[in-house]
Amino acid sequence: MPSLALLSSLLLATTASARPSRRATGEVQCPVVLNGFVPADATPTDFDSYATSPFNPDYIRGDEKFSTILQFPDAGSSRFDNDTTKAVEVTINDKSIFQTQNGFRRAGLQIQGDTNEDSPGTEGVKTLHFSIKQDPERTLNLTHEYLNVWHESADYSANQFNFETGTIIGKSGTDKNSYKVLNRQNTQIWSTPVDATAWQNFAITLDFNKNTLQVYYSKDDEPLKSVTSAVSNDNSGGGQYQIGILKKPTGTSDVVNSGYQETGIDEGQIYGGIFLEDSADGCVSL
């Protein structure tokens, strides 16, 4: 007859195996145009090859490959991740210099298929989804301005929108501890505090026919809700979606090429549930 201790251990093992993993319940309801979901079995070197990465393996980065830049923290699941996908962390350090942009510290993701000209992401009505979580071991220095997610025009002259945090250069009085959505004219249209522990889920709908922009938001596994109306915005100019970290310097008017960046940078931003969907007929996954 089994001992009481053995029966207890068997019961605990059975309960543990039956316990569901921490996975979110959000479901994609609309056709996916650009797929930035990270497969659960992805390895760092997968992101160095067009054949195995959901992102462009050559952009945006300095000399370090994405197998070095990207981390895969145990961060739980964002709203639209499930058993087949996982979070990815974009990190920057002192070497994170893209091309000759010596003022920035920068690394970012471009979803494969998102071309600079004639991209399927710049026609009709499209909604970009992404979720963000903080890494307590790689915190951002919010005395700087950070671009996290944005859409850059094909001629690199403007951004149709910016999703930012930190201290925005030239805009005194803004809360550095918040995420901010800015339109093409760099006017803030919405903000929310940075949460140190929760998943924060965002969706931005761009209507390229009507030239409008609309923001959706939720935390953890809560359904997204509209937090702005469809506001007027100039969405012309084509281009690509940028997702990651662009840390601007301080103390300069030429932020691309010069300015102050402290040494010993070790910062990161965790992303999950990255995808672009077709929002024709008002379809938005919530």
Side-chain angles (χ1 to χ4, degrees):
M1 182 176 181
S3 68
L4 181 60
L6 178 58
L7 288 172
S8 297
S9 65
L10 288 171
L11 178 60
L12 287 171
T14 302
T15 303
S17 63
R19 187 180 299 130
S21 60
R22 284 186 60 219
R23 289 295 177 182
T25 61
E27 294 186 5
V28 178
Q29 301 290 334
C30 317
V32 173
V33 179
L34 297 171
N35 186 349
F37 284 106
V38 175
D41 60 354
T43 63
T45 55
D46 287 341
F47 295 86
D48 295 335
S49 168
Y50 282 97
T52 51
S53 177
F55 309 108
N56 186 327
D58 296 323
Y59 293 93
I60 301 292
R61 61 179 178 83
D63 293 334
E64 294 180 310
K65 292 186 175 182
F66 278 113
S67 54
T68 300
I69 295 168
L70 301 181
Q71 302 292 320
F72 304 96
D74 183 10
S77 292
S78 65
R79 171 71 176 153
F80 292 103
D81 280 311
N82 57 38
D83 288 325
T84 68
T85 60
K86 64 182 177 182
V88 60
E89 182 174 8
V90 178
T91 69
I92 58 171
N93 57 46
D94 296 350
K95 299 177 182 178
S96 302
I97 299 174
F98 174 62
Q99 296 180 344
T100 59
Q101 298 177 356
N102 292 304
F104 298 151
R105 298 296 177 267
R106 181 178 182 184
L109 307 173
Q110 292 182 342
I111 305 174
Q112 281 208 47
D114 187 16
T115 53
N116 191 45
E117 296 182 358
D118 300 320
S119 170
T122 57
E123 59 186 20
V125 186
K126 300 296 187 292
T127 299
L128 179 68
H129 285 264
F130 57 96
S131 297
I132 291 179
K133 198 171 189 180
Q134 306 310 309
D135 182 347
E137 302 299 321
R138 293 187 176 90
T139 57
L140 306 181
N141 178 357
L142 297 181
T143 63
H144 288 253
E145 178 180 354
Y146 291 83
L147 271 69
N148 303 92
V149 180
W150 67 102
H151 192 278
E152 186 174 26
S153 63
D155 64 2
Y156 311 113
S157 66
N159 296 341
Q160 286 91 338
F161 75 86
N162 291 327
F163 176 90
E164 303 193 20
T165 192
T167 303
I168 297 181
I169 297 171
K171 293 184 180 292
S172 60
T174 58
D175 182 5
K176 68 179 182 179
N177 298 298
S178 66
Y179 286 119
K180 311 156 188 73
V181 178
L182 282 64
N183 65 11
R184 190 179 186 130
Q185 288 71 41
N186 288 319
T187 300
Q188 181 175 308
I189 64 171
W190 179 78
S191 69
T192 192
V194 174
D195 192 303
T197 58
W199 273 107
Q200 295 182 267
N201 312 305
F202 303 90
I204 297 178
T205 298
L206 295 175
D207 189 326
F208 293 93
N209 301 321
K210 297 181 179 179
N211 276 313
T212 61
L213 177 155
Q214 187 166 7
V215 183
Y216 298 80
Y217 173 69
S218 75
K219 283 188 182 183
D220 289 325
D221 197 25
E222 292 297 316
L224 290 160
K225 294 182 180 179
S226 174
V227 291
T228 73
S229 60
V231 299
S232 178
N233 192 60
D234 181 359
N235 295 330
S236 65
Q240 295 168 292
Y241 297 91
Q242 311 276 351
I243 301 161
I245 301 176
L246 187 157
K247 181 182 182 180
K248 293 184 180 182
T250 61
T252 181
S253 59
D254 183 8
V255 296
V256 177
N257 299 301
S258 63
Y260 173 75
Q261 295 276 6
E262 66 273 25
T263 58
I265 294 173
D266 182 17
E267 301 176 8
Q269 189 80 98
I270 303 170
Y271 287 93
I274 301 170
F275 64 100
L276 185 80
E277 64 186 0
D278 191 337
S279 290
D281 302 320
C283 185
V284 177
S285 298
L286 301 175

